[in-house]
Amino acid sequence: YEFERKSPEMLNLLSDFVRVRGAELCGKPVDLAIMNKGGIRNSLSAGTITQGEIIDIAPFDNSIVVMDIKGSDLLENLGIMASQDGNGVSGNVSVVYDPQTKEINSATIDGKPINPAKTYRLATIDYLAAGNDYTEPLKRGTVTARPEVLYQILIKFISDGKLDNLLASPDKTQRMRSF
C-alpha cells in the first residue's frame, strides 16, 4: 500500500505510532497523540520499506514526548490545529470543526467529550511540545517521558514488524475534519 505524504492515511499512521510508542515510554496508557502535517516530508511507496525512506518521511531530529496537559489547554490546542485545516490525532480521537470559523463543534477521546477540568496524557513530538507551529497551549503541559528520535524508533518498529497491521490496512478516516 502507498501512503501519500499529505494523505489522512500517512497522518493517521504516524499519529497512531506516536500514541503506541508514548504508552511504551511511560509504561501507562496514553489518552491521545497529535502530529503535525508539516513534519511529514515524503510519501511511503508500496513494497519493501527502506531506512532512507523513513528518514525522508520524518527527517528532523524530533523526539516523541509524553506530557500531562489540562483539557482546557488541549481544547485550545485542537482549536489551533483546526485553524490550520486539521492535523494528526490518534484513532481514538474525533474533532469536528466549522470550516468557516474554524471553531470546534465537538472533540472526543474514546467517544467522550474532552473535559476542560481533567488532565490528559498526550503523546506528541518535542517540536510541538515546545510551542512550534502555533501550539503555544502545549507549553503549559508537563513533559513526563522523552525517548529516541522519531525516525530511529520508527525504523525499529517497522523492522520488528510492530506496524505491520497499520501498514497493511491503513486508516483513511479524516479524524480532524470540517463539517
Side-chain angles (χ1 to χ4, degrees):
Y1 191 88
E2 185 163 341
F3 289 77
E4 290 294 327
R5 175 183 173 204
K6 296 185 185 255
S7 69
E9 294 92 331
M10 178 68 92
L11 204 50
N12 293 345
L13 173 70
L14 290 176
S15 299
D16 291 342
F17 160 69
V18 167
R19 183 173 183 227
V20 167
R21 184 58 185 157
E24 285 183 2
L25 288 168
C26 63
K28 297 178 228 163
V30 169
D31 294 306
L32 76 158
I34 61 174
M35 278 295 293
N36 60 329
K37 293 182 280 199
I40 302 170
R41 295 302 176 135
N42 212 342
S43 299
L44 185 60
S45 54
T48 306
I49 299 169
T50 67
Q51 289 187 12
E53 279 181 295
I54 296 168
I55 294 168
D56 286 347
I57 288 165
F60 309 106
D61 285 343
N62 291 327
S63 292
I64 299 170
V65 298
V66 178
M67 63 169 46
D68 289 337
I69 188 166
K70 278 184 57 182
S72 55
D73 293 329
L74 180 58
L75 285 166
E76 184 182 342
N77 199 76
L78 290 171
I80 291 164
M81 292 167 66
S83 74
Q84 300 165 338
D85 286 322
N87 265 300
V89 292
S90 50
N92 62 324
V93 177
S94 175
V95 178
V96 180
Y97 61 91
D98 183 308
Q100 258 62 56
T101 65
K102 308 294 187 196
E103 293 291 315
I104 292 179
N105 289 28
S106 70
T108 62
I109 298 174
D110 296 324
K112 297 183 192 107
I114 295 173
N115 178 345
K118 184 179 172 195
T119 297
Y120 292 89
R121 188 170 297 119
L122 167 71
T124 188
I125 55 172
D126 57 351
Y127 176 78
L128 296 178
N132 294 299
D133 272 1
Y134 308 100
T135 59
E136 288 289 319
L138 296 186
K139 288 168 54 175
R140 298 193 284 267
T142 305
V143 173
T144 57
R146 180 185 303 266
E148 318 80 346
V149 174
L150 176 72
Y151 70 76
Q152 291 172 344
I153 195 65
L154 187 55
I155 288 168
K156 182 165 177 24
F157 264 58
I158 290 173
S159 298
D160 293 350
K162 288 184 174 184
L163 296 182
D164 286 356
N165 290 344
L166 289 173
L167 290 167
S169 50
D171 182 354
K172 297 173 169 63
T173 309
Q174 191 86 29
R175 297 172 182 171
M176 273 195 94
R177 64 195 184 282
S178 59
F179 64 87

